[in-house]
Amino acid sequence: MSVDAQIAAAVAALRPGRPLLVVDVDEVVCQFIRPLSAFLERSGYWLGSVSFGLTGNIRRAGTSLAAPKETVEALIQAFFDAEIGRQPLVPGAADAFGRLAGRADIVLLTNAPHRLRQIRIDNLARQGIAAPLITNDGPKGPVLAALAGAAAAPTVFIDDSPRNLLSGAAGVPEAVLIHFVADPTFLALAPAVPGVALKTGDWGEVERFLMPMLGGKNDG
Ligand SMILES: [Mg+2]
């Protein structure tokens, strides 16, 4: 399904006037850093943590030499092919989704490969997360703008990538931005992104932050 068709399907499922939560998957809903690190070790590499981001941190086993960008990209594709069907959830994500879904419409917006979309949907559903899912490529701002325009309601965008958050803010300047990085080491390394309302790796904190805004009582 094309990105446009996926957006149209997600828009068709929106209930007008409900707040909209647009949520990334890797390192936000699904664990990414941890299974990637294990995959790299099985593949003759290792994941360092000298900076936020993957390029510069993926090294060949037994060396401290950073793998070149093309190798990093190939390893990430291989990781998705091998692991996307079994990436575990970030702790607390399913419970928070269940409660937030009572107050808002949720759309998952991932830049994972289109060819693996259904496998990702099935993996999430098995773990209790069912929401329209868009496999995008490139900037997320235009997709966020299309969704927010259709929702015509307060919009929240949650992502681990500073680049995606900035793109989201460019697409929907009034969106509430949450910078979510599940892995504590990478959360600490993540740069401050202008305009971010909350930076966290804890779904309980996301829920406590959003519930008052969504008109819900804050019991999480
Ligand atoms: Mg991500």
Side-chain angles (χ1 to χ4, degrees):
M1 213 189 323
S2 72
V3 176
D4 284 346
Q6 294 182 57
I7 293 170
V11 163
L14 295 177
R15 291 159 290 183
R18 300 248 303 178
L20 172 66
L21 306 187
V22 178
V23 186
D24 178 35
V25 177
D26 288 298
E27 205 52 20
V28 177
V29 174
C30 281
Q31 294 182 38
F32 174 73
I33 292 292
R34 192 196 292 197
L36 175 67
S37 183
F39 173 82
L40 290 171
E41 282 171 28
R42 293 198 300 277
S43 309
Y45 291 83
W46 62 284
L47 182 64
S49 53
V50 292
S51 61
F52 188 76
L54 298 175
T55 303
N57 279 323
I58 295 180
R59 333 285 178 81
R60 204 172 273 285
T63 78
S64 57
L65 212 63
K69 191 168 181 287
E70 308 72 58
T71 305
V72 169
E73 282 167 8
L75 285 166
I76 291 169
Q77 292 299 313
F79 164 78
F80 280 129
D81 281 323
E83 299 294 326
I84 199 168
R86 61 180 187 184
Q87 279 175 261
L89 294 187
V90 170
D95 287 346
F97 257 62
R99 288 186 288 263
L100 290 167
R103 300 284 170 182
D105 284 338
I106 302 177
V107 176
L108 296 166
L109 178 57
T110 175
N111 274 5
H114 298 303
R115 67 179 185 280
L116 302 174
R117 176 170 180 265
Q118 192 60 46
I119 299 175
R120 167 147 279 180
I121 289 171
D122 293 345
N123 179 50
L124 289 165
R126 272 195 300 275
Q127 300 182 80
I129 291 204
L133 180 143
I134 298 168
T135 49
N136 178 53
D137 46 48
K140 290 188 175 181
V143 183
L144 189 68
L147 295 170
T155 297
V156 178
F157 179 47
I158 309 178
D159 206 293
D160 64 312
S161 154
R163 190 181 48 202
N164 289 342
L165 289 165
L166 291 170
S167 173
V172 183
E174 66 277 20
V176 173
L177 303 180
I178 297 181
H179 192 178
F180 190 106
V181 183
D183 181 273
T185 304
F186 279 89
L187 175 63
L189 288 167
V193 178
V196 161
L198 175 69
K199 181 180 177 184
T200 184
D202 177 353
W203 270 102
E205 198 176 348
V206 170
E207 203 180 334
R208 287 190 293 278
F209 178 80
L210 287 180
M211 273 303 190
M213 190 182 306
L214 303 178
K217 96 171 148 42
N218 199 348
D219 59 0

